[in-house]
Amino acid sequence: MREIIEPFRIKSVEPIRFTTVEERRRILEEAHFNPFLIHADDILIDLLTDSGTSAMSAQQWGAMMVGDESYAGSKSYFRFEQTVQDITGLRHIIPVHQGRAAERLLFSLIGGPDKHIPNNNHFDTTRANIEYSGATADDLVIDEATNLDSTHPFKGNLDDKKLKAYIEEHSPNRIPAIMLTVTNNAGGGQPVSMANIRQVSQIAREFGIPFFLDACRFAENAYFIKLREPGYEHRTPREIAQEMFSYCDGATMSAKKDAFGNIGGFLALNDDSLAERARNLLILTEGFLTYGGLAGRDLEALAVGLEEVLDEHYLEYRLACTRYLGDKMNEAGIAIVQPPGGHAVYLDAKRFYPHIPPHQYPGQRLVVELFAVGGIRSVEIGSVMFGKRDPETGLESPAKNELVRLALPRRVYTQSHVNYVAEVIREAHAHRDAATGFRITKQPQFLRHFTAHFEPLPN
Ligand code: F0G
């Protein structure tokens, strides 16, 4: 097979800033060893997230110039609506400023005390919006997903047996929705198979429960299906995406991922009455029906992005990027979540630093080292983010895994950037024995990872 190349040429570039080791040490001290508190200008390669960080195409920038900024009935909205309807087949398309706004609209209408909402794995904002409504959010992903080394091709699948038992336990009338996140971000960016989407939708239908997709990375999921699921090799990504959506009653979407948007999202629904109530709420907090908190130019850019993301050459390249970085880690004997996900590679910090116990945050050490050694920003997904702290005793129970996510922004970094990232990780690995853990010196009550302060522990 020929080399898979970047399916674009670069027309506009942005400089990245090099710093010295001494500068980076000072920057880390000033940021209290929390990369969220580092100025983006001090980062050489930013792998914090793939959300809102994509490079837009010349076509997208061009479309922005024709954005219609009318308050009501904007032509840009109708273009956006048409594009989303063509891909999803869903009737009502409600624009919002980002994914969590779609979640807030949906769950403030269907959530509430005594309600239960299952998913393969809820993303944090989804869980938070469900819980904020008073409902309970549960994860029913297949057991293989908890084995970091399992190379199951669809580790994002939802377990149908767990789902049936769950429906029996809580009764269908207390389950206002069943969700599937494609790809499963909280579970390592792993895809869900078409067979699983079909099966979950059949179960939902059988019990009269609406079925929703969290569709942030639907195109990456569609391409995984093409690569890995027999019967789909000759289907186009658009056809596969259309089939995925054909099984659902609605979808939430952060267009900051697979629509190449810097901002944006939508809630798509088939239910007329639910859509009407969602639109009334939209007007109350987001904006009028035809802009929902976005500018007309944003809607134009998203409409173009949603077409571009389904290009085969793009998706082939996109999945090759994470696979390439994953292969480099495998060759170096550095443990990652297998197989590499669609948008990110997850390093296993527990095995990187076996001598640092979870309550001394090995993932935080790895995140700090990647910046110290090479100016790379990544994010800890372990006990800093998910460790549960008893507010009375201050004692903490660790997270299940200690991971570090390296999320690749779309169309932003080239192969040599990825080679550099792999080199920096290998260098940190070579010096792993000398690394120590951290102590948290300051933390807020909720979502502490964003603002906590850390202090390195002595050797
Ligand atoms: N659902 C999933 C699966 C996500 O990954 C995200 C965001 C959201 C919903 C919320 O969308 O940020 O537009 O409000 N994920 C980002 C990330 C933040 O870094 O993985 P949003």
Side-chain angles (χ1 to χ4, degrees), residues 243-302:
E243 184 181 338
M244 285 164 55
F245 284 108
S246 74
Y247 299 117
C248 73
D249 303 296
T252 56
M253 165 103 186
S254 166
K256 298 173 74 173
K257 284 83 168 173
D258 267 354
F260 299 118
N262 298 128
I263 198 72
F266 60 79
L267 172 63
L269 298 166
N270 268 343
D271 181 327
D272 298 338
S273 126
L274 183 60
E276 190 177 333
R277 286 180 294 142
R279 285 189 165 120
N280 289 337
L281 255 186
L282 183 83
I283 293 177
L284 196 65
T285 59
E286 287 272 310
F288 189 66
L289 312 178
T290 54
Y291 73 88
L294 294 169
R297 56 180 172 272
D298 296 325
L299 292 164
E300 289 283 345
L302 298 180

Side-chain angles (χ1 to χ4, degrees), residues 49 98-100 103 123 125 185 214 216-217 254 257 405:
T49 179
Q98 63 184 86
R100 67 198 73 180
E103 294 164 356
F123 181 68
T125 60
N185 185 12
D214 175 338
C216 299
R217 299 177 180 87
S254 166
K257 284 83 168 173
R405 184 180 78 169

